[in-house]
């Protein structure tokens, strides 16, 4: 199944971020035709699983690297916004490159009014700061675990269960039985949260906010 998977080390650890992500992906349902793109720098390891017809999932602009699961719809608007800032985006620019350039110019707020269906990870290569952003509708589930030692994310709770003591969240279980859905940002896995739509999770200066 397509999606973003990542691990950012904030403290010490015996395994490298690349090794941790590899173990997470072993729990991810996937098919043979899925492509895997990777970006590693310092204490950060990110992977994107996608289908071949989805197009490029990694884009760069200046010191910004973007990893995209999904697509945008208002490309013309994005090109126009970049043009106002003196950046000429050609027709052959992929969605992910447009988002990398726009984020480099405007920061996390740049993503707020973008139409599309996506989860987006942006990393600044010079600082290692990372932003994880969801589209307005939040239709692509993305779960995360944030502790004093690491931040990890995946569309599958099974992948995150390798990093925490597996336990069911009793309130989430009660909500599922009573209402048929789980409210807020809770998940069935204790310690793992759902990143809601139109939300940014930022890791900077070795802290998650």
């Amino acid at each position: 199944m397509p999606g973003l998977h990542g691990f950012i080390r904030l403290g010490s650890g015996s395994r490298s971020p690349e090794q941790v992500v590899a173990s997470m992906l072993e729990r991810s349902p996937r098919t043979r035709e899925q492509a895997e793109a990777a970006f590693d720098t310092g204490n950060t390891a990110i992977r994107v699983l996608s289908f071949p017809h989805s197009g490029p999932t990694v884009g760069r602009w200046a010191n910004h690297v973007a990893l995209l699961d999904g697509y945008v719809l208002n490309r013309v608007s994005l090109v126009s916004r970049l043009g106002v800032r003196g950046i000429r985006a050609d027709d052959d620019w992929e969605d992910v490159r447009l988002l990398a350039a726009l984020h480099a110019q405007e920061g996390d707020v740049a993503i707020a009014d973008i139409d599309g269906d996506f989860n987006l990870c942006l990393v600044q290569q010079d600082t290692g700061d990372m932003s994880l952003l969801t589209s307005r509708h939040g239709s692509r589930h993305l779960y995360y675990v944030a502790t004093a030692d690491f931040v990890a994310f995946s569309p599958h709770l099974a992948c995150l269960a390798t990093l925490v003591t597996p336990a069911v969240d009793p309130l989430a279980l009660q909500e599922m039985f009573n209402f048929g859905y789980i409210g807020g940002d809770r998940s069935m896995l204790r310690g793992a949260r759902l990143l809601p739509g139109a939300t940014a999770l930022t890791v900077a200066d070795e802290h998650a906010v």
Side-chain angles (χ1 to χ4, degrees):
M1 182 176 177
L4 281 172
H5 305 258
F7 182 86
I8 302 93
R9 187 178 304 288
L10 305 179
S12 59
S14 58
R15 295 191 299 169
S16 69
E18 295 84 355
Q19 291 173 323
V20 175
V21 169
S23 66
M24 289 169 57
L25 287 175
E26 291 177 358
R27 300 286 190 92
S28 174
R30 57 191 302 181
T31 58
R32 291 182 178 179
E33 65 268 21
Q34 281 185 338
E36 179 179 326
F39 176 73
D40 303 315
T41 180
N43 290 322
T44 298
I46 313 294
R47 302 290 181 269
V48 189
L49 298 182
S50 64
F51 292 115
H53 65 268
S54 301
T57 54
V58 180
R60 291 173 169 81
W61 177 262
N63 65 337
H64 281 61
V65 178
L67 299 101
L68 175 68
D69 169 35
Y71 56 88
V72 299
L73 296 173
N74 56 335
R75 287 177 52 88
V76 174
S77 173
L78 304 190
V79 170
S80 176
R81 286 166 61 179
L82 288 172
V84 171
R85 295 181 173 273
I87 300 173
R88 180 178 177 180
D90 297 326
D91 292 338
D92 61 350
W93 278 35
E94 304 90 357
D95 290 354
V96 67
R97 189 181 182 193
L98 286 172
L99 294 173
L102 196 63
H103 187 268
Q105 298 298 311
E106 301 180 10
D108 291 350
V109 296
I111 313 301
D113 59 350
I114 293 178
D115 290 329
D117 177 21
F118 61 85
N119 290 320
L120 178 67
C121 179
L122 294 130
V123 182
Q124 296 185 42
Q125 288 186 281
D126 55 347
T127 64
D129 293 352
M130 184 213 72
S131 292
L132 193 62
L133 304 110
T134 55
S135 58
R136 288 186 289 182
H137 303 295
S139 55
R140 295 179 184 241
H141 281 186
L142 189 62
Y143 300 96
Y144 71 96
V145 173
T147 73
D149 295 321
F150 69 86
V151 174
F153 53 88
S154 172
H156 307 294
L157 290 173
C159 298
L160 297 177
T162 64
L163 306 175
V164 298
T165 301
V168 173
D169 184 320
L171 180 57
L173 182 63
Q174 183 180 26
E175 289 180 336
M176 179 59 73
F177 275 113
N178 288 340
F179 309 116
Y181 64 90
I182 301 172
D185 62 351
R186 286 183 295 278
S187 78
M188 291 294 287
L189 178 64
R190 181 180 293 174
R193 295 300 212 185
L194 174 68
L195 195 64
T199 301
L201 174 67
T202 302
V203 179
D205 300 323
E206 299 186 346
H207 292 87
V209 293

